[in-house]
Amino acid sequence: MKSTTQLISSIVLKEGISYIEKDPIENLGKLLNWGEKLVTKADHKKYAQAFHKILSDPDNHWNQFIRKVFSQYDTNVLKKFIINFMVNSTIMGVPINEELSKKYACNIPWAILMDPTATCNLKCLGCWAAEYAKSSSLDYQTMNRIIEEGKALGTYMYIFSGGEPLIRAQDLLRLAAEHDDCMFLAFTNATLVDHEIARQMVKAANFALAISVEGFEEETDMRRGNGTFKQVMKAMDILKEHGVPFGFSTCYHSKNTDVVGSDAYIDLMVDKGCLFGWYFTYMPLGKNADLSLVATPEQRAYMYQRVRKLRNTRPIFVIDFWNDGEFSQGCIAGGRKYLHINANGDVEPCAFIHYSNVNIKDVSLLEALQSPLFLQYHQNQPFNKNHLRPCPLLDNPHKLRDMVHISGARSTQPGDMESVDNLTAKCEEVASDWSKTADQLWSQQIR
């Protein structure tokens, strides 16, 4: 299988790069026309048409957002984003993913999430990563092999979590340099961000950060420890100064939902320089999980409404991992759009589903995608006709229970080994309560 860059002629590639190097803001329309030449999927063509409408309206907040992006970052960062993310990973990569998914009769992911290390310099209340053994790590050679095998499947987006991935910053930047046709993103607590790391990231140009923050100082320090919020704000200032692309990653739960969905919070994130925001809801993983942190149906519905309003009023792209199931047509895990490889090498369907049949140190990436649990995902997705109830754990716990039992998958939590029966039992009432609200919201969408 040819790489995506090999599928684009050098003449066409140089044309797009010239628009970025000369005057990207002045050439936005030409750049969009150039991108349309490469588009083959109907939904991608629809997005291109929407962008044309945005560019024709100077008062549109998305127009302002796009112009901010093209004025805030240096040429190399812009080139890497457009070529690696927009072209390689999306325009060219997705059709390859879909083609090979049919060929191999399994899911082929758009992105791969992996944990370079399970070690972290913080101990956050309710953090699922805390369930892994702290001695676990993926060596450089294994991560490099995963990326090589991923590119052969058309996957050019790689995401790091942990633990705290920036503990391995030099290895991650080396991977970014080795695979300069890919896009990289790390979920980080940002406490290790300094001017030197920022300078190295600008040099790499294909590396962005999603910074974990739980609200303002009170909410963030409640889960992450005293002083963490101030460190996060300092890190954002450093990244903005150097022109490193970054956004925020926020877990909403019963004690902070009203804050993290507020105008004041999102305006702070925009002011600090965030390009995107990624919302997750609290998951009760581990035998000692704090069930009081689970968001209520009313809080989840509040976030559903708020995220949609923010997308229409603020110059920042916000996503809700669960509540945006209507756009992804259900669960994206199990390799459908992404998968997770933990620091021990266990290949899991999702960062929040700690069960597996295989370890990446023993099998190829494709073999992992064809493993029993992943095939169960492939055969059963979507897990609910209501895409506002996408998750096989939080929204449809019986689905996860059945898939784990049928596949014979084992728990990947070394210090916990929580059975799927115990885990899903905790989510039965949560799922039932949310179903009533979700069904009402869904009926409004399909009218």
Side-chain angles (χ1 to χ4, degrees), residues 99-262:
E99 175 189 343
L100 294 179
S101 178
K102 293 177 182 177
K103 176 180 178 179
Y104 294 117
C106 66
N107 287 331
I108 302 292
W110 172 77
I112 292 175
L113 172 67
M114 52 182 156
D115 301 345
T117 179
T119 301
C120 186
N121 58 331
L122 297 181
K123 187 173 178 58
C124 302
L125 177 66
C127 175
W128 56 264
E131 302 301 329
Y132 290 116
K134 299 308 177 190
S135 59
S136 299
S137 65
L138 292 173
D139 60 55
Y140 181 88
Q141 290 73 20
T142 299
M143 291 190 288
N144 186 64
R145 175 174 67 84
I146 291 167
I147 296 171
E148 290 284 4
E149 293 180 1
K151 289 198 292 186
L153 299 174
T155 303
Y156 284 77
M157 183 73 205
Y158 294 88
I159 307 173
F160 302 112
S161 58
E164 171 47 52
L166 292 189
I167 288 174
R168 299 277 303 281
Q170 295 311 308
D171 278 340
L172 304 189
L173 287 164
R174 180 183 167 195
L175 285 169
E178 179 74 17
H179 300 280
D180 66 351
D181 52 351
C182 294
M183 197 69 201
F184 295 87
L185 171 74
F187 284 97
T188 174
N189 61 42
T191 59
L192 300 178
V193 170
D194 57 21
H195 288 281
E196 179 56 29
I197 284 181
R199 281 190 287 267
Q200 292 181 51
M201 291 183 68
V202 171
K203 183 179 178 181
N206 59 342
F207 205 125
L209 297 180
I211 298 175
S212 298
V213 59
E214 307 294 325
F216 297 112
E217 187 167 15
E218 179 181 352
E219 295 82 19
T220 298
D221 288 2
M222 184 275 287
R223 284 195 70 199
R224 297 182 170 271
N226 292 336
T228 304
F229 180 77
K230 290 179 179 177
Q231 288 180 281
V232 167
M233 295 298 102
K234 180 181 178 181
M236 287 185 175
D237 290 340
I238 290 172
L239 296 170
K240 185 177 181 180
E241 176 186 340
H242 287 273
V244 176
F246 69 94
F248 71 87
S249 170
T250 293
C251 174
Y252 63 91
H253 51 79
S254 63
K255 302 184 188 304
N256 74 342
T257 298
D258 58 334
V259 171
V260 300
S262 68

Side-chain angles (χ1 to χ4, degrees), residues 23-35:
D23 189 338
I25 295 180
E26 184 66 26
N27 288 316
L28 277 175
K30 293 180 180 178
L31 192 59
L32 183 55
N33 290 335
W34 169 79

Side-chain angles (χ1 to χ4, degrees), residues 219-319:
E219 295 82 19
T220 298
D221 288 2
M222 184 275 287
R223 284 195 70 199
R224 297 182 170 271
N226 292 336
T228 304
F229 180 77
K230 290 179 179 177
Q231 288 180 281
V232 167
M233 295 298 102
K234 180 181 178 181
M236 287 185 175
D237 290 340
I238 290 172
L239 296 170
K240 185 177 181 180
E241 176 186 340
H242 287 273
V244 176
F246 69 94
F248 71 87
S249 170
T250 293
C251 174
Y252 63 91
H253 51 79
S254 63
K255 302 184 188 304
N256 74 342
T257 298
D258 58 334
V259 171
V260 300
S262 68
D263 287 344
Y265 179 69
I266 203 74
D267 288 343
L268 173 64
M269 295 296 104
V270 171
D271 182 62
K272 298 302 286 188
C274 292
L275 293 177
F276 61 88
W278 212 328
Y279 286 106
F280 298 86
T281 195
Y282 174 76
M283 295 285 278
L285 303 179
K287 293 178 180 177
N288 297 318
D290 186 350
L291 293 177
S292 71
L293 288 175
V294 175
T296 66
E298 293 76 19
Q299 289 172 323
R300 189 165 164 183
Y302 166 78
M303 290 303 299
Y304 171 87
Q305 302 290 357
R306 285 297 298 161
V307 165
R308 279 148 186 77
K309 182 175 181 180
L310 293 172
R311 277 203 284 256
N312 290 320
T313 58
R314 297 298 193 278
I316 183 172
F317 183 66
V318 288
I319 309 165

